[in-house]
């Protein structure tokens, strides 16, 4: 376990680094409006920062409040989400807006237990919203923060329980917001997944992963998907392609198949595609009417 003087040194040096090199211009760093913070956190869940910067301001311009978002048509929300991928997030955000307006007087609940009952809000996003919006003393441990602290401790892997406990000890009381911003920037700019910039790192003399940080990268799990012309394409990519096709027109299963898969074979692939379409229907994203699929 790291001693408390070492921890304080880590926090101090991290803040010095952040002051100088942090991404202070990210648009969501200039607000504590919980609607804005929630939109940014949901967008950042599976989309990279440059793409979110591009879409975040436009989304807020189109839907400037929970109320406006709650009253929008689902198809308009999906339209505005275009380019971000993982459309289910947009549907969940839309549902959340309706709940917040109807049951919470248009305000995001600050109680973590209540917040986590909202659609699409898991433990990480819940804590991130409360950290960035309210500066609560919570830790939002994503894979990047986990990687930095794991390397620093020289751990290739650790149990969830142990990780939670150790990461929380790093949090400086009353500075959760700045600490997360600093650690996230440090993980994205210096202690990157592949080839971290150890020689520029202020922590290299204490870091137990130095000088072999790449040994601490977890092997990536293969996503479920299907082979297309000999290449593995994740299922989420096909889901995104289906929504893109249906944005402009209704289509039957065969037409969709031909458009989303280069080597589409009706006999071999129809059942697989029908499963994806039925799942999208179950999630409330598309409907099936007169033998044609369309966005809801
Ligand atoms: S020395 Fe390298 S591995 Fe260790 S914290 Fe710094 S950048 Fe990351």
């Amino acid at each position: 376990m790291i001693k408390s003087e070492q921890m304080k040194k880590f926090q101090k040096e991290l803040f010095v680094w952040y002051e100088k090199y942090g991404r202070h211009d990210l648009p969501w760093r200039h607000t504590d409006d919980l609607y804005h913070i929630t939109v940014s956190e949901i967008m950042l869940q599976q989309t990279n920062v440059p793409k979110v910067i591009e879409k975040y301001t436009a989304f807020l311009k189109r839907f400037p409040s929970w109320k406006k978002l709650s009253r929008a048509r689902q198809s308009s929300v999906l339209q505005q989400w275009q380019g971000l991928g993982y459309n289910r997030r947009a549907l969940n955000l839309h549902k959340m807006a309706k709940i917040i307006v109807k049951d919470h007087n248009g305000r995001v609940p600050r109680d973590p237990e209540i917040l986590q009952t909202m659609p699409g809000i898991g433990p990480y996003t819940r804590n991130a919203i409360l950290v960035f919006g309210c500066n609560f003393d919570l830790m939002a441990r994503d894979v990047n923060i986990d990687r930095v602290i794991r390397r620093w401790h020289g751990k290739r892997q650790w149990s969830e329980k142990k990780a939670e406990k150790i990461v929380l000890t790093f949090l400086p009381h009353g500075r959760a917001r700045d600490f997360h911003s600093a650690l996230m920037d440090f993980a994205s700019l210096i202690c990157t997944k592949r080839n971290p910039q150890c020689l520029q790192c202020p922590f290299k003399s204490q870091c137990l992963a130095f000088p072999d940080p790449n040994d601490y990268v977890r092997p990536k799990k293969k996503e479920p998907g299907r082979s297309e012309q000999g290449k593995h394409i994740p299922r989420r990519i096909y889901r995104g392609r289906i929504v893109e096709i249906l944005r402009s027109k209704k289509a039957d299963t065969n037409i969709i198949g031909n458009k989303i898969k280069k080597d589409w074979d009706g006999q071999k692939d129809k059942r697989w595609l029908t499963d994806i379409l039925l799942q999208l229907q179950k999630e409330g994203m598309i409907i099936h009417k007169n033998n044609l699929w369309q966005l809801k």
Side-chain angles (χ1 to χ4, degrees):
M1 188 65 100
I2 301 291
K3 294 196 186 105
S4 79
E5 313 90 74
Q6 275 180 291
M7 195 88 73
K8 287 210 173 85
K9 196 164 174 266
F10 176 89
Q11 291 162 348
K12 200 173 155 198
E13 285 175 357
L14 181 68
F15 281 131
V16 170
W17 177 89
Y18 177 59
E19 194 55 39
K20 208 162 166 191
Y21 302 108
R23 297 175 295 182
H24 303 285
D25 52 348
L26 295 176
W28 46 90
R29 293 262 168 97
H30 301 281
T31 179
D32 57 5
D33 181 309
L34 282 173
Y35 172 58
H36 295 193
I37 296 289
T38 305
V39 170
S40 71
E41 282 305 323
I42 303 272
M43 286 184 173
L44 287 163
Q45 276 173 356
Q46 280 126 333
T47 307
N48 60 40
V49 169
K51 182 52 108 184
V52 174
I53 292 177
E54 199 187 308
K55 306 297 289 184
Y56 167 80
T57 312
F59 190 92
L60 292 180
K61 201 167 171 199
R62 176 100 184 258
F63 309 114
S65 62
W66 286 116
K67 201 168 173 184
K68 289 266 188 228
L69 182 60
S70 72
R71 289 179 177 170
R73 288 165 60 106
Q74 184 170 296
S75 55
S76 314
V77 180
L78 282 175
Q79 188 74 37
Q80 198 59 41
W81 200 261
Q82 196 167 5
L84 287 161
Y86 292 98
N87 292 294
R88 201 187 314 181
R89 291 178 297 167
L91 298 193
N92 281 334
L93 188 60
H94 192 209
K95 282 185 203 153
M96 182 171 174
K98 288 176 195 258
I99 297 171
I100 286 195
V101 170
K102 184 169 163 273
D103 301 338
H104 299 278
N105 219 3
R107 289 167 197 273
V108 175
R110 290 168 179 238
D111 178 330
E113 276 184 31
I114 300 176
L115 185 53
Q116 206 184 316
T117 62
M118 300 284 161
I121 304 294
Y124 169 78
T125 309
R126 171 200 68 192
N127 284 9
I129 292 169
L130 295 173
V131 164
F132 291 112
C134 312
N135 199 28
F136 281 4
D137 278 337
L138 294 168
M139 198 72 206
R141 182 175 63 95
D142 68 355
V143 285
N144 298 315
I145 288 185
D146 189 79
R147 182 182 62 247
V148 174
I149 299 192
R150 205 160 35 78
R151 277 176 171 160
W152 208 65
H153 282 80
K155 299 276 182 211
R156 284 184 174 77
Q157 48 191 331
W158 49 16
S159 70
E160 278 301 299
K161 217 168 155 191
K162 189 161 185 189
E164 279 297 321
K165 204 170 147 202
I166 293 180
V167 172
L168 196 58
T169 60
F170 272 72
L171 189 71
H173 179 65
R175 296 202 65 188
R177 182 189 290 133
D178 286 346
F179 187 68
H180 279 77
S181 300
L183 207 45
M184 282 172 178
D185 288 1
F186 179 75
S188 303
L189 302 171
I190 300 288
C191 195
T192 49
K193 186 172 171 187
R194 304 263 168 218
N195 303 318
Q197 308 297 305
C198 297
L199 295 177
Q200 297 170 35
C201 173
F203 310 119
K204 60 181 176 295
S205 60
Q206 307 126 45
C207 173
L208 297 179
F210 183 74
D212 297 311
N214 284 337
D215 293 353
Y216 295 78
V217 174
R218 288 184 186 150
K220 202 173 173 187
K221 282 192 206 141
K222 195 173 175 186
E223 280 186 70
R226 197 149 179 100
S227 168
E228 182 179 313
Q229 295 183 327
K231 209 173 144 199
H232 179 80
I233 307 288
R235 186 180 166 96
R236 69 182 159 84
I237 299 286
Y238 287 114
R239 287 170 53 100
R241 288 180 187 171
I242 293 167
V243 172
E244 283 310 306
I245 303 289
L246 299 180
R247 273 187 217 286
S248 50
K249 59 173 185 234
K250 302 172 188 174
D252 68 17
T253 307
N254 254 313
I255 291 175
I256 295 174
N258 269 304
K259 287 197 183 283
I260 64 160
K261 194 168 187 292
K262 289 182 192 136
D263 55 2
W264 166 255
D265 174 340
Q267 276 203 333
K268 226 171 66 200
D269 296 325
K270 197 162 183 180
R271 184 153 185 186
W272 157 80
L273 177 55
T274 306
D275 280 350
I276 301 182
L277 290 164
L278 290 174
Q279 181 62 33
L280 288 169
Q281 184 182 40
K282 198 168 153 201
E283 289 165 18
M285 213 168 309
I286 62 176
I287 51 173
H288 197 219
K289 210 168 159 190
N290 303 329
N291 235 6
L292 294 173
W293 295 100
Q294 63 185 85
L295 285 188
K296 197 171 166 193

